[in-house]
Amino acid sequence: MTKLKIALAAFAVIAVGSFAVAQQGFFGPNLPIVGGASYCGSTTNNVCTLTVPAGPVALTGNESIPANTNLSQGRNPQQVLVTPAALGANPLTFVTVTTPPSGISASNLSGGVVYTSAATITSANITLPSSAIHGQQYRIASNRTITTLSVSAAAGDSIDTNSSPTALTASTTSPSNYNFVCDKTSLVCVWKRLQ
């Protein structure tokens, strides 16, 4: 009986320790901060003994962010990994326009495109991301008017009726952008324009 108690106690220590290590992997201290500089993670006698390196400049869209689902009554899954796309946080692509831009076939990791130009942009062609997830967003913005704007859905997806803009008019008094969201309540993405 004593051996059984010792074995159960050892198992409990290992299980709890493994859970703590797993949690440390998700939420551990001293992680680099995206867009942040290096910082001191630990000191001894007011001397930094652990310098945490600077984080990456920006999100790439490939990140996995741990989250709790808080499902009631302990239903699974209680913990999941979330992508930036699920949070509407995919990185934007910045394009400086000196001649009419070539077409953009948006990557599934892109959150949108921002055009910058010294003059009116005559045309821009954009294909929205393929394989988007429900709720994923894509933004189109410009500091100058885009005279002819063509926005299309990737093969197999569609854009909601009357949601595809044909121009983008720059303004100093109101936003100069379009924001699309993927409604994937069925197997295909129907892009709907929010603004």
Side-chain angles (χ1 to χ4, degrees), residues 30-34 37 39 52-56:
N30 303 326
L31 295 174
I33 300 170
V34 174
Y39 65 93
V52 178

Side-chain angles (χ1 to χ4, degrees), residues 31-148:
L31 295 174
I33 300 170
V34 174
S38 63
Y39 65 93
C40 183
S42 179
T43 61
T44 302
N45 297 327
N46 292 328
V47 175
C48 185
T49 57
L50 174 67
T51 300
V52 178
V57 175
L59 294 177
T60 63
N62 285 318
E63 294 78 11
S64 296
I65 304 158
N68 292 323
T69 61
N70 296 317
L71 293 173
S72 64
Q73 300 172 353
R75 291 179 296 144
N76 286 323
Q78 284 291 310
Q79 294 182 332
V80 295
L81 293 176
V82 179
T83 63
L87 301 173
N90 272 351
L92 299 172
T93 301
F94 293 88
V95 177
T96 300
V97 179
T98 54
T99 59
S102 58
I104 291 178
S105 289
S107 155
N108 196 36
L109 301 177
S110 177
V113 61
V114 178
Y115 292 106
T116 302
S117 178
T120 297
I121 301 169
T122 56
S123 66
N125 301 308
I126 300 166
T127 302
L128 298 171
S130 63
S131 303
I133 64 171
H134 182 72
Q136 183 171 337
Q137 295 186 31
Y138 190 84
R139 297 163 188 84
I140 302 168
S142 177
N143 71 325
R144 300 289 182 190
T145 294
I146 301 175
T147 307
T148 304

Side-chain angles (χ1 to χ4, degrees), residues 173-194:
T173 58
S174 64
S176 303
N177 67 309
Y178 294 110
N179 191 14
F180 291 87
V181 64
C182 173
D183 178 4
K184 201 167 190 173
T185 50
S186 63
L187 295 177
V188 298
C189 174
V190 178
W191 289 97
K192 298 186 177 185
R193 194 170 85 199
L194 299 179

Side-chain angles (χ1 to χ4, degrees), residues 128 151-153 157-161 163-164 180 189-192:
L128 298 171
V151 179
S152 57
D157 294 337
S158 64
I159 297 178
D160 200 25
T161 307
S163 289
S164 186
F180 291 87
C189 174
V190 178
W191 289 97
K192 298 186 177 185

